[in-house]
């Protein structure tokens, strides 16, 4: 079905038109996954909320701005993708889905996140890139199991000190923001493995050599006067990263970094010559 036809049909609320958009999705798939990405949907069909054993629901690349309260019935949902839609606020019903592990909210129009997000205590990966955030909502710091935070392409100028409470956090992606200084709170997070501050306005980098868990730091496209110092074996990507190289692992010792289901892969790790 052509996208232009889908866009026209999406305006018609009749059951026949909605069935046309959903392509006869009437029963929950055996794999407990529903992918309605790119269907030009303007609202979530209510019968999807009756699939109570659903584990994965992908609603990316639609025209959604609201979700029905009936979504609360999906208490087994672990992955919810709402990226590339028209959400100006996160629907509170999302915060009732307490089994969520991965939540994609990128490429919307979010300026904040509700305090109710704290109820998602099983959340391990949060994507909030390409929104309208001028600050990182402090409620994110209450997600105690969070391991991966993607907050790039917003308008962040700093990070809250409470972020250091996230002791499970391993990767933080902050590229394309308005950071003029390296966030001090990251210096107090020894468990971080990946720090990405590419495409910001950072002029000076403090030493990161004291961070024992660090594996990769991306700091390219900043007006910096120095490269951050790092410990042995840490991969750096940015200006002067090879001028005073640190001792590295030799051939075959490739950094192993897990980036969940929608990876934003770092540049390939090059093995040192023998």
């Amino acid at each position: 079905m052509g996208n232009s036809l889908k866009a026209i049909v999406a305006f018609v609320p009749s059951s026949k038109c909605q069935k046309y958009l959903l392509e006869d999705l009437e029963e929950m798939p055996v794999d407990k996954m529903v992918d309605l990405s790119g269907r030009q949907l303007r609202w979530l069909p209510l019968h999807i909320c009756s699939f109570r054993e659903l584990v994965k629901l992908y609603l990316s690349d639609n025209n959604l701005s609201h979700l029905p309260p009936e979504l609360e019935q999906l208490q087994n949902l672990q992955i919810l993708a709402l990226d590339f839609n028209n959400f100006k606020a996160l629907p509170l019903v999302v915060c009732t889905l307490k089994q969520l592990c991965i939540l994609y909210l990128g490429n919307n129009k979010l300026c904040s996140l509700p305090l109710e997000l704290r109820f998602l205590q099983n959340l391990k990966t949060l994507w909030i890139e390409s929104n309208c955030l001028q600050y990182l909502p402090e409620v994110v710091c209450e997600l105690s199991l969070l391991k991966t935070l993607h907050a790039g392409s917003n308008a962040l100028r700093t990070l809250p000190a409470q972020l250091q409470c996230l002791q499970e956090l391993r990767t933080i992606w902050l590229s394309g923001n308005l950071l003029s200084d390296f966030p001090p709170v990251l210096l107090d997070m020894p468990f971080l493995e990946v720090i990405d501050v590419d495409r910001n306005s950072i002029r000076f980098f403090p030493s990161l050599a004291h961070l024992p868990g660090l594996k990769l730091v991306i700091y390219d496209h900043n007006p910096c006067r120095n490269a951050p110092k790092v410990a042995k074996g840490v991969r750096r990507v940015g200006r002067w990263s090879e001028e005073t190289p640190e001792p590295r692992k030799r051939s075959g010792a490739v950094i192993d970094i897990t980036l969940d289901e929608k990876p934003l892969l770092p540049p390939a790790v090059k093995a040192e010559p023998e």
Side-chain angles (χ1 to χ4, degrees), residues 140-208:
V140 172
C141 304
E142 299 185 42
L143 303 173
S144 60
L145 295 184
L146 199 65
K147 297 184 68 173
T148 302
L149 176 60
H150 290 259
S153 300
N154 280 286
L156 304 180
R157 296 180 181 275
T158 186
L159 297 178
Q162 296 92 323
L163 194 68
Q164 64 181 304
C165 297
L166 297 182
Q167 298 193 12
E168 297 298 319
L169 195 64
R170 296 296 179 266
T171 62
I172 184 165
W173 306 85
L174 300 165
S175 63
N177 276 288
L178 301 176
L179 301 172
S180 57
D181 296 302
F182 186 83
V185 65
L186 300 184
L187 300 175
D188 297 323
M189 301 177 71
F191 35 80
L192 283 175
E193 297 179 0
V194 178
I195 299 175
D196 177 13
V197 289
D198 185 29
R199 295 186 293 113
N200 277 276
S201 300
I202 301 173
R203 295 185 175 276
F204 177 78
F205 280 93
S207 174
L208 306 180

Side-chain angles (χ1 to χ4, degrees), residues 12-167:
V12 183
S14 74
S15 58
K16 287 186 177 180
C17 288
Q18 293 306 298
K19 186 176 181 180
Y20 185 51
L21 286 172
L22 297 178
E23 299 176 3
D24 295 326
L25 180 61
E26 296 180 355
E27 298 181 358
M28 187 182 72
V30 177
D31 60 5
K32 299 181 180 181
M33 179 186 77
V34 169
D35 187 353
L36 297 177
S37 301
R39 303 291 183 94
Q40 302 291 327
L41 296 175
R42 295 181 177 274
W43 57 84
L44 179 64
L46 286 181
H47 80 277
I48 299 298
C49 300
S50 68
F51 298 165
R52 300 195 177 201
E53 299 302 315
L54 200 65
V55 173
K56 303 177 183 180
L57 177 57
Y58 296 95
L59 300 172
S60 307
D61 193 20
N62 281 293
N63 294 307
L64 299 171
S65 58
H66 299 85
L67 293 173
E70 289 83 357
L71 189 73
E72 186 177 5
Q73 299 177 41
L74 302 183
Q75 286 300 312
N76 290 299
L77 206 62
Q78 296 180 22
I79 299 176
L80 177 60
L82 299 174
D83 46 333
F84 293 93
N85 275 285
N86 293 315
F87 291 103
K88 294 182 179 179
L90 179 64
L92 293 182
V93 66
V94 173
C95 302
T96 68
L97 305 174
K98 297 182 180 180
Q99 297 304 314
L100 279 184
C101 297
I102 302 176
L103 179 57
Y104 300 116
L105 299 175
N107 291 273
N108 278 285
K109 302 173 183 177
L110 301 174
C111 294
S112 63
L113 294 173
L115 293 176
E116 288 81 357
L117 191 73
R118 62 166 65 110
F119 298 140
L120 301 183
Q121 285 299 308
N122 284 306
L123 205 62
K124 295 181 179 179
T125 299
L126 177 61
W127 293 67
I128 50 176
E129 78 286 359
S130 299
N131 275 287
C132 305
L133 298 170
Q134 297 184 11
Y135 61 93
L136 184 67
E138 292 185 3
V139 66
V140 172
C141 304
E142 299 185 42
L143 303 173
S144 60
L145 295 184
L146 199 65
K147 297 184 68 173
T148 302
L149 176 60
H150 290 259
S153 300
N154 280 286
L156 304 180
R157 296 180 181 275
T158 186
L159 297 178
Q162 296 92 323
L163 194 68
Q164 64 181 304
C165 297
L166 297 182
Q167 298 193 12

